[in-house]
């Protein structure tokens, strides 16, 4: 497989959309000191930009979730650092790179619901609604895309391509 030459979503389009998401979140969360909880490793670049588009007091934390091997979803989800999360009575915004089958983020949301946050929202850079197995819907979505396996801006294929500034499709 190789990385498409042309980006599916350019770095400029990503930057513009992240600014818009920042404005939407600012309307809802100013004064609430939200906790941005980013899912490692894929959301690391997205949350770095998103956090800087939010002109308010906030906290930033990370959780790791694993469900993919190569380009295939494994169906089971392992969370690490979940027991350290201090989310009770906090306004939590889960920041994900992509919602595909929905299994990963639903496992995380389920765990967080059990910890009694004041509110819980999901902000995903990318959404692949046609692939959904678990009925989960992001509250904030950067871009809705067709069923492609994509890399770049934090997203990987077997550990590679996270550093690409734009989103590209993996082609056969
Ligand atoms: P889900 O559990 O099937 O929703 O998968 C979510 C996780 O799988 C994401 O957080 C990504 O880490 C990974 N993933 C899903 N689709 C893609 C993709 O197109 N490119 C890279 N990673 C992906």
């Amino acid at each position: 497989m190789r990385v498409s030459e042309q980006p599916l979503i350019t770095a400029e389009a990503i930057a513009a959309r992240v600014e818009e998401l920042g404005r939407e979140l600012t309307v809802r969360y100013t004064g609430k000191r939200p906790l941005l909880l980013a899912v490692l490793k894929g959301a690391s670049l997205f949350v770095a930009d998103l956090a800087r588009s939010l002109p308010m007091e906030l906290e930033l934390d990370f959780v790791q979730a694993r469900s993919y091997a190569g380009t295939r979803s494994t169906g089971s989800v392992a969370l690490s650092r979940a027991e350290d999360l201090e989310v009770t009575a906090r306004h939590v915004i889960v920041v994900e790179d992509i919602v595909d089958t929905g299994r990963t983020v639903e496992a995380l949301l389920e765990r967080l619901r059990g910890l009694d946050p004041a509110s819980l929202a999901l902000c995903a850079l990318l959404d692949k609604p046609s692939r959904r197995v678990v009925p989960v819907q992001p509250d904030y979505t950067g871009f809705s895309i067709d069923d492609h396996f994509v890399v770049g801006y934090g997203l990987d294929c077997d550990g590679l391509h996270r550093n690409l500034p734009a989103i590209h499709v993996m082609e056969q």
Side-chain angles (χ1 to χ4, degrees):
M1 294 187 85
R2 60 185 168 76
V3 177
S4 67
E5 211 169 293
Q6 292 303 318
L8 180 67
I9 307 171
T10 63
E12 292 73 21
I14 295 169
R17 187 70 187 117
V18 170
E19 284 299 320
E20 281 174 9
L21 288 171
R23 283 196 288 275
E24 285 181 49
L25 290 168
T26 298
V27 170
R28 176 161 167 202
Y29 288 97
T30 296
K32 294 195 165 133
R33 202 181 279 191
L35 172 67
L36 293 191
L37 185 59
V39 185
L40 292 171
K41 300 172 186 168
S44 53
L45 276 64
F46 176 37
V47 79
D49 288 337
L50 187 65
R52 285 178 291 180
S53 77
L54 298 175
M56 67 181 77
E57 287 195 339
L58 57 77
E59 287 183 51
L60 182 55
D61 203 352
F62 296 89
V63 64
Q64 183 146 27
R66 280 216 187 83
S67 75
Y68 258 74
T71 59
R72 285 182 305 117
S73 177
T74 61
S76 66
V77 177
L79 296 178
S80 61
R81 288 208 66 248
E83 60 290 340
D84 298 334
L85 298 173
E86 293 180 9
V87 303
T88 305
R90 303 295 310 276
H91 293 280
V92 180
I93 307 168
V94 172
V95 181
E96 249 295 23
D97 54 354
I98 187 164
V99 182
D100 183 39
T101 65
R103 288 192 187 104
T104 307
V105 81
E106 184 50 33
L108 175 59
L109 292 173
E110 193 55 38
R111 178 77 71 97
L112 295 173
R113 282 185 206 111
L115 299 173
D116 285 328
S119 67
L120 185 58
L122 172 60
C123 177
L125 176 69
L126 301 174
D127 188 9
K128 282 197 266 189
S130 64
R131 293 259 310 155
R132 203 71 96 250
V133 172
V134 176
V136 53
Q137 175 70 43
D139 302 281
Y140 302 89
T141 304
F143 302 91
S144 199
I145 62 169
D146 293 336
D147 182 13
H148 303 294
F149 194 86
V150 290
V151 295
Y153 196 65
L155 291 117
D156 75 308
C157 182
D158 278 336
L160 294 179
H161 312 308
R162 293 191 198 276
N163 55 317
L164 296 173
I167 306 275
H168 296 257
V169 174
M170 290 302 291
E171 297 174 331
Q172 292 292 344

